Amino acid sequence: MLKGHLDAIVLAALEAGPAHGYAIIETIKRGSSSTFDLPEGTVYPALHRLEEAGLLSSAWMTPPGGRRRRLYSLTKAGSAALADRRKAWGRFSRAVETLLGGGRAWPA
């Protein structure tokens, strides 16, 4: 069920501000009440794909006494893409709710 929605989920996880990969994974896990406990091998390719598409930017950062990490941030194009994906998700989820609800229209 996650297929096709991972990019939007990753973009949404970065909406609050820059984060490194592990923090993004934890944000997704917490935000989904552990429904999405995604492995690094799923999230990092998505981060790289989104960065190549210009929806994310990244920079290396080394906190005092810490290890070097890459921080990912939404770009303006990423914020716009997230807004578009939210609209598309709203239409899609209402249609699925209607169909799975036996044809009854659900409140908007």
Side-chain angles (χ1 to χ4, degrees):
M1 294 183 117
L2 186 60
K3 189 175 183 176
H5 303 292
L6 177 61
D7 290 358
I9 289 168
V10 170
L11 292 173
L14 284 164
E15 190 172 33
H20 55 82
Y22 180 75
I24 294 166
I25 291 168
E26 287 300 305
T27 297
I28 292 168
K29 184 177 178 180
R30 272 193 320 274
S32 69
S33 300
S34 295
T35 298
F36 303 135
D37 188 4
L38 305 175
E40 291 178 8
T42 297
V43 174
Y44 282 100
L47 289 168
H48 297 153
R49 183 175 58 252
L50 291 166
E51 186 173 19
E52 286 177 15
L55 303 180
L56 298 180
S57 62
S58 69
W60 287 101
M61 192 267 300
T62 305
R67 59 176 219 177
R68 187 173 179 221
R69 295 179 173 174
R70 179 171 273 192
L71 287 181
Y72 294 90
S73 303
L74 282 178
T75 62
K76 287 183 182 183
S79 293
L82 178 56
D84 290 344
R85 290 171 193 217
R86 280 189 169 132
K87 287 177 191 171
W89 172 254
R91 288 188 304 272
F92 176 79
S93 64
R94 283 189 298 276
V96 170
E97 287 174 355
T98 299
L99 290 168
L100 295 180
R104 297 179 316 237
W106 291 67

